[in-house]
Each structure stands twice: as C-alpha cells, then as structure tokens.
Amino acid sequence: MEVSKAELASAAAAASPTQELMGSEILIKGLQAEGVKYIWGYPGGAVLYIYDALYKQDTIQHVLVRHEQAAVHAADGYARATGDVGVALVTSGPGLTNAVTGIATAYMDSIPMVIISGQVPTAAIGLDAFQECDTVGITRPIVKHNFLVKDPRDLAMTLKKAFHIARSGRPGPVVVDVPKDVSFKKIPYTGYPESVEMRSYNPVRKGHGGQIRKALQLLLTAKRPYIYTGGGVLLGNATQELRTLVELLGYPVTNTLMGLGAFPASDRKFLGMLGMHGTVEANNAMQNCDVLLAVGARFDDRVIGNPKHFAQNERKIIHIDIDPSSISKRVKVDIPIVGDVKDVLGELISMIREGSQRPDASALGAWWDTIEGWRKRDCLKYDHGNGEVIKPQYVVETLWNMTRDADTYITSDVGQHQMWAAQYYRFDEPRRWINSGGLGTMGVGIPYAMGIKLAKPDSEVFCITGEGSVQMNIQELSTCLQYNTPIKICALNNRYLGMVRQWQEIEYSGRYSHSYMDALPNFVKLAEAYGHVGMLIERPEDVEPALREARKLKDRTVFMDFRTDPTENVFPMVQAGKGITEMLLGSEDL
Ligand SMILES: Cc1cc2nc3c(=O)[nH]c(=O)nc-3n(C[C@H](O)[C@H](O)[C@H](O)COP(=O)(O)OP(=O)(O)OC[C@H]3O[C@@H](n4cnc5c(N)ncnc54)[C@H](O)[C@@H]3O)c2cc1C
Ligand SMILES: Cc1ncc(C[n+]2csc(CCOP(=O)(O)OP(=O)(O)O)c2C)c(N)n1
Ligand SMILES: [Mg+2]
C-alpha cells in the first residue's frame, strides 16, 4: 500500500465543513492530514472509539504489537530511520504505563514521536476509575510536551500542535491523552488546521551571523582542530553539509554513538567513535585539540569522561545546538551558536567559500602526523582466539564485510554487543544505525527492526542483540509474522549480561553478582514456535555461511543464535571516574 503524503492530506481535507464527526474520527482525519502511514498500538476500553475509527479507514496501517513498550519502540525505530514522526496508540492505565519506557527512550535521544493514549471519561478523572492513571503527571518528565484534551473541539488543533512540537526545534515525544468521552462526542468538523502559532514556542533555526563569523575565525586559525559531531547532525538531516565542511577544511572528525553515519566511517578523516568505548585516536584528539567544533552533540558523560580531567587541557569550544539548554550544560563553551545544524553549517560553508582565508596547512599537517601516530595503535584489533570459539567482534565484522554495499539497517539492543556493533560495523550513511544511547534501553532491538522493515520493505534489516536484551521484547516475533516484516536477528549469545559482567570483572573484583544467564530458552525452537527460522551457530567457520543462508531467506525472519566467547570484553574502555585518554586497551591492562 503506497500512499503519498499529498494523497493522505487531500483525503483528510475532504470533509465537508458542516459535517458532524466523533472526536475519534477527527483524530484519525488529523493523523491522515499529517501524512501518517503507520501506527503501532494495542487496544483497550478507553481507545475503542479510536480503534473503531481506524477500522473505517484504509490509508493508515495499524500494527498490533504484543506489548505497548514495543509499540512505542517500533514507532521510534521508524522515526529514527525515516525522519518522520513515529506514532503509537495505547489505552489508559496499564497501556500507558507499559509505554513509559518507550517514551523515555525516545525522549533521551530526541526522537520525534506522537503517542496517543486513551484516558477514562473526563467526568471520571480523579475518581480512581477503572484503568485510570495520571498520564500527564507520569509522562511529564519524559516528554517534550504533553496534552490532556478535555473538549473534542480542541482535538484537531491539539494534534496539529503535537506534531509541530514533536518535529520542530529539538525533536522529542509528545503525548496526547484523549478521554473516552472526547473520542465519542460528535461535533461539527471544520477541517484540520493548516498552520499553527504558539506564542511561547518558537525554536530558532538560523544561527547568529556574528557568532558564526567568530567561530569561523577561530576554526581557521586553529593548530589542532577537531570536529565532534552527534545525533543532532542526523536529526537535522545535515550530513551533506557536514561532509562539505570537512572537505573544505580537511579537519579530523569523530562521531558520538548517536552520530554514527553522519560522516562516512570509510573516510580517512574519520577517527572512529569517541568516548567510553571510543578509539585511541578519537579520544586523544578530543583531549589534545586546541579548537573543538561540537555539532549537534551534547557532551555526554560517556563522551567526556571525568570532567576535571577533560578540563586539564585548554581548548576553545564552538558549540552548535538547536537547544539553548544543551549549551554549556556539562562543559563551558566559548562560542555558542543556537540554531539548526543544517542552517548553521550552510552558513559556515558559504563564509569559507566567499572568503580567502584557509586553514594553516603546516600546523594541520603536523596535527595529522600526531593523529596517525595514535591511529597506528590499531586499538580495535582483537584476538581471534583459537578457532574454536566465536569472537563477537568477528560476527559483526563478517556481517559488515558481507553487507557493506547492500541497503541495510542495523539495530541493536544494549550491552557489549551494542558497542561491538558500533565499533565494527562501519556506517557510511546516516540513519542506518538505530540504537538507544541516552536511556540505554534493553529490549529495543526487535521492535526497532520491525518498525524499520515495515517502512523499508526492500532493505535488509539486522538486529544485533544479546541473549539478555532480546528476551525483553521477544514476544514481538509474533508481530513480525503477522505483519510480514522479515528481520534477521543476530544474537551474540555469551550466556551473560555481558556488559554487567565486564563491569563486575573490572570494577567489582570479579564478583559476578547475578549476571550469569542460566536456563536460557532454546532460541532455535523458540523462533520456530513463532513461525520463523532458527539457527544455532557454534563455530567460527560457520558464521559466514549462516549469515549467507539467512540473507537468502529474504521473506523469513531468521533468529541466529551465535554462541560467542563468554569472557570477551569491550575495549577500549574508560573506567568510571577516569579521563578519556586513560583507556584500558585490552586484557593486558587489567
Ligand atoms: C552501554 C552504552 C555505552 C555507551 N558508550 C558510549 C561511547 O563510548 N561513546 C558515545 O559517544 N556514546 C556512548 N553511549 C551513548 C551515550 O550515553 C549518549 O547517548 C551519547 O553519547 C549522546 O550522543 P550525542 O551527544 O550525539 O547526543 P544526542 O542525544 O544525539 O543529542 C543530540 C543533540 O543535538 C541537538 N540537536 C537536535 N537536533 C538538532 C538540530 N536540528 N540542529 C542542531 N542541534 C540539534 C540536541 O539538542 C542535542 O543536544 C553509550 C550508551 C550505552 C547504552
Ligand atoms: C531495561 C534495562 N535493564 C537493565 C539494564 C542494564 N544493563 C545494561 S547492559 C546489560 C546486559 C545486557 O546483556 P545482553 O543483552 O546479554 O548483552 P551483552 O552485554 O551480553 O552483549 C544490562 C543488564 C539496561 N540497560 N536496560
Ligand atoms: Mg549477553
């Protein structure tokens, strides 16, 4: 079913101005007008009128998940891969509380979403009604904004505002809570608003010209410049501008975990991811640069390590971010530029092209020599073992080698496997690496993958996961079958909550308190029970054939249970409290 946004909008506008519609019908018309193609959700008493209105239309496809957490994750994964607003629909009470983890996950990574929740009838609010919970109160700290719609006449404008807030400025999830009577009452429908004005909400797009000029001056006189980019470049669709800027300047670049793909990993100017599990060259450059250009990155604690250590080296910092509250939050910056990354980088590029000043070539040459020295350490080199046991890095590396020229999306869960995916799958394109960074939510991998596969049926979608994480939303294998979203699950099964085990080994003197996963299910049979294909892979020489076989099964969901080395650790690693250059590089450092 391919329906263009324009078709959806004109279908929505088709209502005659005098028509009487139920709140639920107005809601659906609004979603159509917003160009929504998919909703992930789960029904219940408070949303049955909305489900009824969904039943009577055929432009929006609803996907019935098996748990509301997965509905929000699937819509979130869709939003991350496409850049559109992801939409989820849940019922009141337990439906909403189940969705909370999904909403918080999207909030922490600034993902545009609208979550519609049912609420008990307005007259029953506050009376401990059946399946009542204070949705606005519960979600307040984990949304960009939320609304309780008390009158059906406000529905259309509220939805318009919700989409506008979700996708503009720093994106984020918006909850629209709809009491049952609001979805049921009939009112005259005058159409979906064409525009929205909010006096108190006007995100800045254009950066301050004077600040941009000052930034450029600083950048061009730098001896040891460094460009540190994050999720904001992807969210602002500014990868092309970033690439042009780097081309013009010839400066080294790093990405955060959330920014991978913003700059091609295969480009020599890319130093790899920085931070807790970043490369030696990326972290050393961060510590030793004299001018840092931070672009849509928020100086996360996993990126700068111990702030006192970070502050030991003097450097001038330029920070481009659309959210003024992100600036100087954790690290004091010298030249703040509040604005949209695409606009600001565009402006910088024009100024460089118009001017005659160029970077200091000899200083830059010396800086590159230093960086190449760090790069020689080859910190992602790993011990391939005795050929008996599968190394997790090898699985990711093999997958990357096999699919590097294919149209692929990689989702992950949270743990060691996530870090190996980030380190060894080398992303050249934006929005191809889909994971939870800020909240670090185990259980996102399968729902993310199925959300993406629905929108991108011709792409290959792999979920790199752990045997711990995958069990947190494994029920969604059922949804994958019902909606024909064939995904490929690569479980790096080390029988441990590996990232926890690694911390216990290094920080808690090997006291492995409750990190061993005993009594695991037989994943092959489990996959088969859900109607899919299961594979058990126990030897290194079987890794490539298994992946090849799985890829051939284009129309099937395949669960690959790779039995990996249970004691493998993620390196480099910056321990808690350490500076980013104080890295452990391998087991010899323990
Ligand atoms: C197990 C684990 C290990 C991790 N280890 C690492 C690690 O080693 N290295 C690492 O980098 N991360 C790591 N993380 C992730 C980390 O927790 C943070 O999520 C991540 O560093 C934040 O990335 P970011 O700074 O790009 O910010 P994001 O959360 O992506 O924020 C984006 C920023 O861009 C801004 N922005 C949004 N849109 C625009 C726009 N249009 N224009 C301008 N600005 C915009 C936003 O306001 C925000 O400030 C790890 C996470 C887990 C779970
Ligand atoms: C919902 C949730 N609970 C707990 C954690 C803490 N945590 C982070 S990584 C991890 C272990 C993940 O184990 P697994 O999925 O097997 O991945 P591995 O680290 O072994 O690759 C845990 C428990 C979390 N991130 N999310
Ligand atoms: Mg594990």
Side-chain angles (χ1 to χ4, degrees), residues 416-417 466-468 492-498:
Q416 291 181 313
H417 61 273
E467 79 298 332
L492 306 183
N493 181 350
N494 52 11
R495 279 80 73 207
Y496 274 104
L497 298 173

Side-chain angles (χ1 to χ4, degrees), residues 129-147:
F130 175 63
Q131 293 196 325
E132 178 183 4
C133 75
D134 175 6
T135 297
V136 167
I138 289 172
T139 60
R140 182 166 290 128
I142 52 162
V143 290
K144 184 169 172 191
H145 199 62
N146 58 18
F147 295 95

Side-chain angles (χ1 to χ4, degrees), residues 160-367:
K160 182 82 186 173
K161 285 182 183 169
F163 275 86
H164 173 61
I165 294 170
R167 64 161 79 95
S168 59
R170 179 179 185 166
V174 178
V175 167
V176 181
D177 201 25
V178 185
K180 190 164 183 176
D181 54 322
V182 170
S183 70
F184 162 70
K185 268 189 211 147
K186 274 194 166 175
I187 56 154
Y189 179 58
T190 51
Y192 193 67
E194 277 180 7
S195 61
V196 59
E197 284 256 339
M198 296 173 75
R199 255 194 308 156
S200 53
Y201 176 71
N202 284 303
V204 179
R205 284 195 69 83
K206 260 186 90 56
H208 188 280
Q211 291 290 91
I212 301 177
R213 200 161 289 284
K214 264 206 257 170
L216 182 61
Q217 201 50 42
L218 190 60
L219 270 177
L220 291 175
T221 50
K223 304 284 180 218
R224 299 184 308 282
Y226 197 31
I227 302 179
Y228 147 59
T229 78
V233 177
L234 303 176
L235 294 165
N237 298 312
T239 45
Q240 200 43 57
E241 286 76 5
L242 175 67
R243 289 164 195 212
T244 306
L245 180 76
V246 175
E247 213 46 60
L248 282 170
L249 294 173
Y251 292 174
V253 187
T254 182
N255 289 159
T256 65
L257 180 74
M258 300 316 292
L260 295 177
F263 193 77
S266 56
D267 191 305
R268 194 73 191 159
K269 287 185 277 313
F270 184 61
L271 306 192
M273 181 175 82
L274 85 171
M276 178 176 276
H277 297 294
T279 65
V280 167
E281 52 274 30
N283 283 3
N284 278 343
M286 185 72 164
Q287 189 68 6
N288 293 290
C289 63
D290 68 343
V291 174
L292 180 68
L293 174 64
V295 191
R298 56 183 176 80
F299 292 90
D300 187 81
D301 48 26
R302 299 224 151 185
V303 166
I304 62 159
N306 182 331
K308 283 206 185 100
H309 178 272
F310 185 71
Q312 275 168 14
N313 291 35
E314 262 196 43
R315 59 181 91 61
K316 294 276 182 218
I317 302 179
I318 304 158
H319 190 184
I320 305 170
D321 203 294
I322 202 156
D323 180 358
S325 81
S326 258
I327 291 182
S328 291
K329 188 175 204 162
R330 306 197 66 250
V331 167
K332 204 176 149 335
V333 308
D334 301 281
I335 304 184
I337 304 173
V338 178
D340 178 44
V341 61
K342 201 176 177 71
D343 282 34
V344 177
L345 291 186
E347 196 68 22
L348 265 176
I349 291 165
S350 313
M351 285 181 188
I352 296 173
R353 285 189 173 142
E354 283 159 16
S356 54
Q357 198 180 343
R358 291 293 172 259
D360 178 340
S362 80
L364 190 57
W367 177 224

Side-chain angles (χ1 to χ4, degrees), residues 66-82:
R66 302 316 187 236
H67 188 293
E68 289 88 348
Q69 181 186 345
V72 184
H73 289 328
D76 171 350
Y78 166 85
R80 289 176 198 244
T82 62

